[in-house]
């Protein structure tokens, strides 16, 4: 069996949300699994000098427009959250804590976080919002709070961000198939052809 | 008849070259003309603080890889020139000088410049290279030299760059259809749907 596809993303990345809505189905069509790897884009930006889209002159206003249009193009519900971008280290910590116990549940939690942020417009940096997402999956709020305060989980997230940087991951979404890197949801057609033909 | 589609690009932009190879045919399929508008990305970067791809950490190495793959994906010949990026104000001046006399010839010259740079790997900042491209279109080298030294042409190019900035053009290629902006050759599928449906 081929290795899983790596899907790197920041929970605060709207194009990451769009990729999250498409990558599993696309991969499954070609018999591949996907390893979801949330990381902190802020940690990478410290390394590269990158900036969040809204703070970039000219590109900021364009990207707001492009995000809404790209979501319509892909047929996805999309709300631009009022709080954007937000800190996502708590969401990441809950994800990795869950993943060490129940990877399937971690995956469902990640989808729930993306929907809370980019469909319902909730601020996913807030613990009550994360607890709400977790609650729908029958995860107790105490467990969520525990995960975000867990030193081993914190260390693991730092390590994930270091691996991201070492792997050349500088943006979100970032998909790696057998060593081949694809940045951006607009690379979906190339990803599809790569999976169909085993490279091109 | 609908207004022409605006196609903004820098002659030193590889994704701009790829768009140049596709946009005319796509537009013609939908009964639209394309106005080619070369500008100086460097002038915009002065305004936005943007940087050429190769100087961006992590994104630079990725983009070299992505460029070659994107060209294969689109079925286009592509060479990454050794001198990259290069100054393109001379090429722009010749283009606009020609455009004021013979728009069809200016268009052919632009295609020739892109091919010289991204297919043959020639340094298009050099006058002899531009004269070679022009020569194939029966334009005398003296005319090329005259165009690049012409004060009115210089002023016109400065004005074009100001219009680009005022129009929100921050990258290359940048396509505007009836006020709708599309940045990047990876927006071709969205451009196609936009032309098919008159928006979406």
């Amino acid at each position: 069996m081929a290795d899983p596809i790596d899907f790197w993303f920041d929970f605060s990345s709207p194009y990451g949300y769009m990729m999250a809505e498409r990558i599993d189905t696309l991969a499954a069509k070609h018999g591949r699994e996907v390893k979801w790897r949330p990381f902190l884009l802020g940690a990478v930006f410290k390394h590269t000098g990158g900036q969040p889209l809204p703070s970039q002159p000219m590109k900021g206003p364009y990207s707001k427009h492009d995000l809404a249009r790209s979501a319509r193009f892909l047929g996805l519900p999309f709300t631009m959250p009022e709080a954007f971008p937000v800190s996502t280290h708590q969401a990441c910590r809950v994800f990795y804590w869950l993943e060490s116990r129940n990877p399937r549940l971690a995956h469902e939690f990640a989808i729930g976080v993306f929907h809370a942020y980019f469909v319902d417009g909730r601020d996913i940096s807030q613990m009550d919002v994360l607890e709400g997402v977790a609650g729908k999956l029958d995860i107790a709020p105490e467990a969520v709070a525990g995960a975000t305060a867990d030193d081993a989980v914190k260390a693991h997230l730092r390590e994930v961000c270091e691996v991201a940087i070492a792997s050349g991951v500088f943006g979100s979404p970032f998909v790696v198939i057998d060593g081949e890197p694809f940045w951006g949801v607009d690379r979906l057609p190339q990803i599809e052809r790569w999976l169909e033909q085993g490279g091109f």
Side-chain angles (χ1 to χ4, degrees), chain A:
Chain A
M1 171 115 187
D3 286 338
I5 291 169
D6 281 317
F7 167 40
W8 296 92
F9 61 92
D10 186 300
F11 279 115
S12 189
S13 158
Y15 296 116
Y17 151 70
M18 296 180 207
M19 181 63 88
E21 293 285 309
R22 289 287 175 268
I23 191 67
D24 287 333
T25 309
L26 184 55
K29 210 172 121 188
H30 299 279
R32 299 289 292 258
E33 296 199 341
V34 182
K35 188 170 171 62
W36 287 38
R37 307 187 85 166
F39 72 105
L40 302 175
L41 202 47
V44 175
F45 283 171
K46 267 186 204 161
H47 186 77
T48 60
Q51 283 195 331
L53 278 173
S55 26
Q56 295 182 34
M58 297 173 81
K59 213 188 234 181
Y62 170 81
S63 71
K64 279 183 93 161
H65 191 83
D66 183 68
L67 283 167
R69 186 180 62 209
S70 293
R72 295 197 303 276
F73 183 73
L74 292 167
L76 295 173
F78 178 72
T79 301
M80 193 65 208
E82 276 184 42
F84 178 82
V86 294
S87 160
T88 58
H89 59 283
Q90 305 289 44
C92 281
R93 286 175 188 162
V94 177
F95 175 90
Y96 284 112
W97 178 81
L98 280 171
E99 196 193 39
S100 67
R101 280 152 186 79
N102 182 338
R104 173 119 224 105
L105 203 57
H107 183 264
E108 285 180 42
F109 174 76
I111 293 171
V113 171
F114 266 138
H115 281 218
Y117 195 42
F118 290 114
V119 180
D120 303 330
R122 308 290 308 278
D123 180 349
I124 57 162
S125 69
Q126 300 303 308
M127 286 302 289
D128 62 321
V129 173
L130 296 179
E131 286 166 4
V133 171
K136 286 188 195 160
L137 302 169
D138 291 326
I139 305 160
E142 298 75 30
V144 173
T148 59
D150 186 316
D151 283 338
V153 172
K154 288 180 187 177
H156 181 66
L157 177 56
R158 279 194 297 273
E159 200 187 323
V160 164
C161 294
E162 280 161 25
V163 172
I165 292 169
S167 308
V169 176
F170 59 82
S172 167
F174 204 98
V175 169
V176 184
I177 307 174
D178 306 328
E180 183 74 11
F182 299 87
W183 171 47
V185 71
D186 41 39
R187 289 298 177 273
L188 271 172
Q190 295 195 18
I191 290 173
E192 182 155 26
R193 191 182 296 177
W194 197 272
L195 288 172
E196 273 165 15
Q197 307 184 350
F200 61 82

